[in-house]
Amino acid sequence: MKQIYLDHAATSVLHPQALEAMMPYFSTVFGNPSSIHQFGRQAKQALIEARESIASLLNANSNEVLFTSGGTEANNLALIGFARANREKGTHIITSEIEHHAVLHTLEELAKEGFSITKLPVNENGQISFAQLKNALTEETILVSIMFANNEVGTVQPIKEIGELLKGHQAAFHSDAVQAAGLYELNTDELAVDLMTIASHKLNGPKGIGCLFVREGIELEPLLHGGEQERKRRAGTENVAGAVGFAHAFNQAYAEREQRRQSYKLYRTMFFETMERRGVAVLENGESGERLDHILNVCFPGASTEALLMKLDLQGIAASGGSACTAGTLQPSHVIQAMYGKDSHRVKEAIRFSFGMTNSKEELAYAFEQIADCVLSEQGKKAFIE
């Protein structure tokens, strides 16, 4: 049985070149980058080069790239670190209803500390209203956190326009760019972001490493206390091997971004052509507007997410529901609920296919036929029961 991975938005395979670049830092170049002897200096140099490499992709200074353990920590540091450090300016924060839980749950914790959180609604395409954002701004607003592109449905938000709007306001602008990194140009000056989150494992880098872009002059209160690493903003011995792999993967993805996007567009076309030819009823969640090409979120009327995922897994096809599984229980997608309402049939039928570096046209042609078989079986069963 073929094994076909269509869950690259959850995590991606490590790029061979990134793995090769990392190998010396697991063995011969093992020093602590904070040590002043030659072993430490070798590790320090690798860390410097990785930081400079990533900074160049962001049109940033190297001292504006702060390494973290991944996207979750970067989001926590951006939100909690900034809010606590700038509380005297105000206590109001604006976000959207469809942010990643690493943002939403972090803001819930800040609400317990007395911060006021405004969650902007989205339309059926998963997009916020620019006018509603503008109206939500107050003199107390100190931070706006809007993701670049949604991890479940792929909707791209008007980040550049938001950045322009906030130039005349005291509020700092944070964007979770985890899903967009490697596929979009993330020029921090053009986007006018003050804080931006990126995770290595979503762009064919290693797990356990990510970064937070922190514009010069932005003050953050550290979450971790100990040494003076990362300019005293994030204590702890740096993950040198991870940083090296992250930088290599990011550069590779950036260089190949147009080629990859064209491939993903082809796969999307193939999918819908196959479903139409096979007579499969399918609806795309958030079908209009700009979106990430590698994320395809759909629902098959009459086929529940849980039943379909199990059938696909038995056929060797890995996909995911509208939301990640928590403690082994499939949770209804907060994103799909925000877009269509909690009573919509789409909430129980949403399924996400996400493409990546290892997919090919040939294997996807096979996979789409298998998906059609599974869906027709479920839809037929539903029709029989009714």
Side-chain angles (χ1 to χ4, degrees), residues 99 145-151 154-160 173-181 183-187 191 193 196-197 290 292:
E99 299 296 309
S145 181
I146 302 293
M147 67 193 333
F148 191 110
N150 185 262
N151 55 300
T155 298
V156 174
Q157 302 293 352
I159 300 302
K160 188 174 182 179
F173 183 24
H174 166 253
S175 185
D176 177 345
V178 166
Q179 286 295 343
L183 290 172
Y184 274 74
E185 184 175 357
L186 299 178
N187 186 316
L191 296 175
V193 292
M196 187 165 64
T197 298
E290 186 178 359
L292 297 176

Side-chain angles (χ1 to χ4, degrees), residues 229-293:
Q229 294 90 347
E230 300 299 303
R231 299 182 69 199
K232 300 183 180 181
R233 296 171 298 184
R234 200 264 184 182
T237 301
E238 298 93 342
N239 178 358
V240 179
V244 169
F246 179 13
H248 272 76
F250 198 178
N251 273 275
Q252 195 69 29
Y254 187 81
E256 299 174 357
R257 68 189 186 283
E258 288 305 320
Q259 176 185 340
R260 293 189 186 189
R261 289 178 68 175
Q262 290 305 313
S263 294
Y264 303 152
K265 287 178 181 179
L266 172 61
Y267 301 158
R268 292 173 65 90
T269 300
M270 288 172 56
F271 173 84
F272 286 109
E273 287 179 346
T274 302
M275 296 305 118
E276 183 178 8
R277 175 172 50 80
R278 294 292 304 277
V280 176
V282 59
L283 298 171
E284 183 174 7
N285 293 319
E287 60 183 344
S288 300
E290 186 178 359
R291 63 186 51 262
L292 297 176
D293 298 306

Side-chain angles (χ1 to χ4, degrees), residues 70-80 83 93-111 117-120 143-151 173-178 195-198 212 334:
T72 294
E73 184 191 344
N75 281 336
N76 272 257
L77 179 57
L79 301 175
I80 296 176
I93 301 172
I94 299 173
T95 190
S96 81
E97 292 183 347
I98 63 169
E99 299 296 309
H100 191 278
H101 283 135
V103 167
L104 294 178
H105 290 171
T106 301
L107 292 177
E108 288 175 5
E109 292 303 309
L110 283 174
I117 314 299
T118 295
K119 296 180 183 178
L120 299 175
L143 181 62
V144 174
S145 181
I146 302 293
M147 67 193 333
F148 191 110
N150 185 262
N151 55 300
F173 183 24
H174 166 253
S175 185
D176 177 345
V178 166
L195 300 151
M196 187 165 64
T197 298
I198 301 173
L212 178 66
H334 71 286

Side-chain angles (χ1 to χ4, degrees), residues 281-285 298-305 332 336-337 340-351 379 382:
V282 59
L283 298 171
E284 183 174 7
N285 293 319
V298 299
C299 66
F300 301 98
S304 74
T305 302
I336 302 299
Q337 290 187 67
Y340 298 104
K342 65 179 181 179
D343 296 325
S344 171
H345 68 94
R346 296 182 189 242
V347 174
K348 297 181 179 180
E349 296 170 348
I351 185 166
Q379 290 179 334
K382 174 76 172 179

